[in-house]
Amino acid sequence: MTKESYAAIIVAGGRGERMGANCPKQFLSVNGKEIIEYTIDTFVRSKIFSQIVVVCHKDYLAHTSEMTKSYERLTMFCVTEGGQTRQESVVCGLNQITDAEYVMIHDAVRCCVKESDILKLCSALKKSDGCALGVKVTDTIKMSDDSLNIVSTVDRTNLWHIQTPQAFRTSVIMDAHKKAYDSGFNATDDCSVAEFAGVNVKIVEGSYSNIKITTPSDILLAQQYLKDGC
């Protein structure tokens, strides 16, 4: 294994039902390019990664493979089928990692991620088994009861919106996913899997522009961020 080598897993297996489009949101066009292309471009352009794995739904394997052909000459690149859940899809991606000490796991629909924030994660990984981009919560947060009556105001001092990429020592996150699978633990992100396995995960302050495209209004916001260079 090459010391301080990095792999990236770009998770693109979602169906995007909330978007209401005729294809998964990662394949929608923004300013003339598919959302997933912007995401891959940023990771390739960073010239950090010795391997990039894109995980997608089986129905879009052919499309994704064709769309990513040009990247194959730039880095070790592969497209693989995902699982039934995001967690299973990440494991599918991890199983493709061949020679990297560290791995970054990123949502394909976060197409506005900055190279500078990826570099911040690389630096943080030298001092931690796991880290993730995040931004401080700026809204006032309320706790409600089941009838939507406000019960209390939550202190937001130490509250963060966690983003991706989430980055780990490869062996550590692979072991964490195995423990989660063996225990039947299901999570919506890899930080939760790592936490479940007792791994300390460090927050690295990222950028508010690193949005996750989920609804049609997010497309409009991403268009502007991408136009401005994020």
Side-chain angles (χ1 to χ4, degrees):
M1 181 177 292
T2 305
K3 186 173 177 58
E4 293 187 5
S5 58
Y6 299 87
I9 297 172
I10 297 175
V11 186
R15 301 307 300 267
E17 285 87 355
R18 281 176 288 180
M19 183 62 72
N22 59 2
C23 70
K25 53 195 173 183
Q26 57 270 27
F27 300 114
L28 293 174
S29 179
V30 175
N31 298 344
K33 272 171 60 172
E34 291 182 13
I35 287 169
I36 189 173
E37 289 184 85
Y38 287 105
T39 304
I40 296 171
D41 280 349
T42 301
F43 279 81
V44 171
R45 195 168 57 241
S46 72
K47 298 181 180 179
I48 294 168
F49 301 96
S50 59
Q51 183 178 8
I52 296 176
V53 180
V54 177
V55 186
C56 68
H57 190 275
K58 63 181 180 180
D59 292 346
Y60 289 88
L61 280 172
H63 172 81
T64 306
S65 296
E66 182 64 27
M67 183 263 293
T68 57
K69 272 186 177 180
S70 62
Y71 298 109
E72 294 174 1
R73 60 185 173 80
L74 301 174
T75 188
M76 187 176 174
F77 199 96
C78 76
V79 177
T80 192
E81 182 179 337
Q84 295 297 311
T85 65
R86 184 189 187 279
Q87 190 167 321
E88 290 177 5
S89 291
V90 170
V91 172
C92 291
L94 287 170
N95 289 338
Q96 297 296 320
I97 302 300
T98 56
D99 184 28
E101 185 179 5
Y102 303 106
V103 60
M104 289 193 190
I105 303 165
H106 186 65
D107 295 322
V109 291
R110 287 190 185 270
C111 59
C112 300
V113 64
K114 294 182 177 181
E115 287 181 59
S116 57
D117 288 335
I118 291 174
L119 290 172
K120 283 183 187 178
L121 285 177
C122 288
S123 297
L125 272 174
K126 296 175 183 178
K127 302 175 183 178
S128 176
D129 283 337
C131 56
L133 291 179
V135 291
K136 289 186 175 181
V137 171
T138 58
D139 296 318
T140 298
I141 304 298
K142 301 290 186 180
M143 183 77 73
S144 76
D145 60 19
D146 292 339
S147 299
L148 301 185
N149 298 305
I150 292 175
V151 175
S152 63
T153 301
V154 179
D155 182 2
R156 68 187 182 199
T157 303
N158 293 313
L159 293 181
W160 293 77
H161 293 290
I162 296 301
Q163 306 171 335
T164 66
Q166 297 177 5
F168 306 90
R169 192 174 294 275
T170 305
S171 59
V172 168
I173 195 61
M174 290 184 80
D175 287 345
H177 270 283
K178 184 178 185 307
K179 288 179 181 177
Y181 176 81
D182 291 343
S183 302
F185 176 76
N186 298 306
T188 56
D189 76 342
D190 298 283
C191 285
S192 298
V193 173
E195 293 161 34
F196 174 78
V199 179
N200 181 54
V201 182
K202 179 84 172 178
I203 296 173
V204 176
E205 191 159 8
S207 305
Y208 287 95
S209 59
N210 185 19
I211 62 171
K212 184 178 181 181
I213 295 179
T214 305
T215 65
S217 61
D218 296 327
I219 292 279
L220 299 176
L221 193 54
Q223 284 177 333
Q224 190 59 50
Y225 282 140
L226 291 167
K227 183 178 178 182
D228 295 340
C230 299

